[in-house]
């Protein structure tokens, strides 16, 4: 759909000020879904800012994934509830829902007054603060959206809120009609919920890769492809498409990294370029195809995102934003190390052993 204005937000130094400004401007409703939340300066400020809006009469709904936010201080939850915010946990870790406890809500969504939306890959922690070039901090990308696409961000939140609370969100405060055009960008919100039978993200990525004619640029922290997706990338190289992948040099889950690196050989032999980000912990989830099709969101390129978690990405059809994301990719490569086949083959016995341990866990990653 056309008529959208989309702003790229790089790292905590841009993401959190933009979100906080939008929340402070909220007048009717604020909906906020977060997978990861732990203590830190920005975590406290965000909780207090949401609480202030509640006390001012704004209807604030906060949805926290019960597993990803285990480290969130109880003090913040109490602050939100005491201020009148509606707060719910998505799939609490209890025996009664154990059958789907492994299916998490990995979506990141903020919508203010049904008119301004945010999504991406960022969590809330001191590790997300800064410029993405600092050791032990996250390098991430989010987007700010205005225009008709915001309704679909809100719809994704309402879907998860209904499951968690049994409450249907509706009305002008959440879904103002009509949403006037705010820009010239065509965009689409793609969401998947494997527990509900939807695998939209997997199909979206696969079709985009298969359609590429010139280039595929991938930034992703969890790059554990299945055979079909790996074949699609190597087929793209054979038809002359330049495929460049940026993955973390270090990450929070080392077994996932080893599961990813175990299959580098096949990709490198086929001509896929692979680089490992060295300046910080890479968490951005982006892909640009032919400089005109791009996506930013919560989806990792692994089975957990495609077959277990609820995920959401914004797909953008814009040459201008495609060029901007290509430049972001090029800037990140300056802080990365290229992986070559000879170096990969020479990896040590410890790495090979961890790859072996990770093999039976690939379906859970």
């Amino acid at each position: 759909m056309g008529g959208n204005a989309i702003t790229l937000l790089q790292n905590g130094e841009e993401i959190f000020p933009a979100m906080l400004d939008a929340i402070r401007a909220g007048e009717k409703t604020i909906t906020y879904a977060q997978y990861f939340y732990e203590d830190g300066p920005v975590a406290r400020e965000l909780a207090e800012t949401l609480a202030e809006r509640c006390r001012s009469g704004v209807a604030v709904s906060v949805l926290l994934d019960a597993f990803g936010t285990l480290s969130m201080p109880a003090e913040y939850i109490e602050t939100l509830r005491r201020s009148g915010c509606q707060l719910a946990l998505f799939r609490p870790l209890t025996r009664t829902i154990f059958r789907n406890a492994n299916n998490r809500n990995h979506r990141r969504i903020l919508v203010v007054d049904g008119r301004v939306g945010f999504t991406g890959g960022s969590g809330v922690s001191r590790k997300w603060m800064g410029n993405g070039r600092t050791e032990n901090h996250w390098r991430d990308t989010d987007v700010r959206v205005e225009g008709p696409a915001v309704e679909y961000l809100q719809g994704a939140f309402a879907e998860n809120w209904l499951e968690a609370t049994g409450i249907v969100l509706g009305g002008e405060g959440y879904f103002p009609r009509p949403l006037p055009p705010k820009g010239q960008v065509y965009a689409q919100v793609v969401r998947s919920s494997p527990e509900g039978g939807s695998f939209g993200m997997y199909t979206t990525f696969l079709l985009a890769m298969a359609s590429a004619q010139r280039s595929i640029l991938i930034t992703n922290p969890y790059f554990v492809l299945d055979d079909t997706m790996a074949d699609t990338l190597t087929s793209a190289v054979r038809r002359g498409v330049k495929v460049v992948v940026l993955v973390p040099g270090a990450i929070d889950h080392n077994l996932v990294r080893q599961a990813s690196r175990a299959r580098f050989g096949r990709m490198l032999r086929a001509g896929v370029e692979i680089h490992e980000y060295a300046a910080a912990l890479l968490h951005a989830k982006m892909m640009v195809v032919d400089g005109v099709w791009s996506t930013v969101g919560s989806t990792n390129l692994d089975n957990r995102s495609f077959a277990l978690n609820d995920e959401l990405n914004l797909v953008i059809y814009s040459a201008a934003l495609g060029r901007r994301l290509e430049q972001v990719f090029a800037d990140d490569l300056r802080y990365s190390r290229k992986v070559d086949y000879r170096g990969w083959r020479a990896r040590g016995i410890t790495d090979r052993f961890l790859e072996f341990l990770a093999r039976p866990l690939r379906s859970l990653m």
Side-chain angles (χ1 to χ4, degrees), residues 202 205-206 209 225-233 301 306:
Y202 183 82
F205 275 98
L206 203 62
M209 293 172 181
L225 305 186
D226 66 6
D227 289 339
T228 300
M229 194 164 282
D231 288 343
T232 303
L233 282 184
L301 297 182
F306 291 138

Side-chain angles (χ1 to χ4, degrees), residues 115-246:
R115 298 180 180 277
V116 179
F118 295 79
T119 195
S122 66
V124 181
S125 162
R126 67 172 66 247
K127 291 187 293 186
W128 263 279
M129 299 174 70
N131 64 1
R133 309 289 191 217
T134 305
E135 187 177 1
N136 295 321
H137 284 63
W138 290 113
R139 155 77 188 92
D140 221 326
T141 297
D142 280 16
V143 287
R144 181 184 188 273
V145 186
E146 289 185 276
V150 176
E151 178 179 341
Y152 295 87
L153 289 176
Q154 189 77 290
F157 179 91
E159 171 186 71
N160 292 130
W161 186 255
L162 175 62
E163 177 183 336
T165 68
I167 298 171
V168 177
L169 297 180
E172 188 72 15
Y174 295 98
F175 295 96
R177 300 281 178 84
L179 274 178
K182 290 291 185 177
Q184 303 298 317
V185 178
Y186 283 80
Q188 178 183 6
V189 173
V190 180
R191 66 196 199 215
S192 62
S193 179
E195 176 73 6
S198 168
F199 299 88
M201 288 315 313
Y202 183 82
T203 304
T204 297
F205 275 98
L206 203 62
L207 289 174
M209 293 172 181
S211 302
Q213 299 179 14
R214 177 174 62 83
S215 62
I216 302 172
L217 307 180
I218 297 171
T219 299
N220 208 277
Y222 305 107
F223 187 74
V224 188
L225 305 186
D226 66 6
D227 289 339
T228 300
M229 194 164 282
D231 288 343
T232 303
L233 282 184
T234 55
S235 295
V237 174
R238 287 196 296 272
R239 66 175 184 269
V241 176
K242 182 178 182 179
V243 179
V244 188
V245 178
L246 179 62

Side-chain angles (χ1 to χ4, degrees), residues 50-73:
L50 287 168
E52 186 279 326
R53 287 291 79 202
C54 293
R55 293 191 295 271
S56 297
V58 177
V60 177
S61 303
V62 178
L63 181 62
L64 304 173
D65 183 81
F67 178 78
T69 61
L70 280 173
S71 297
M72 183 177 184

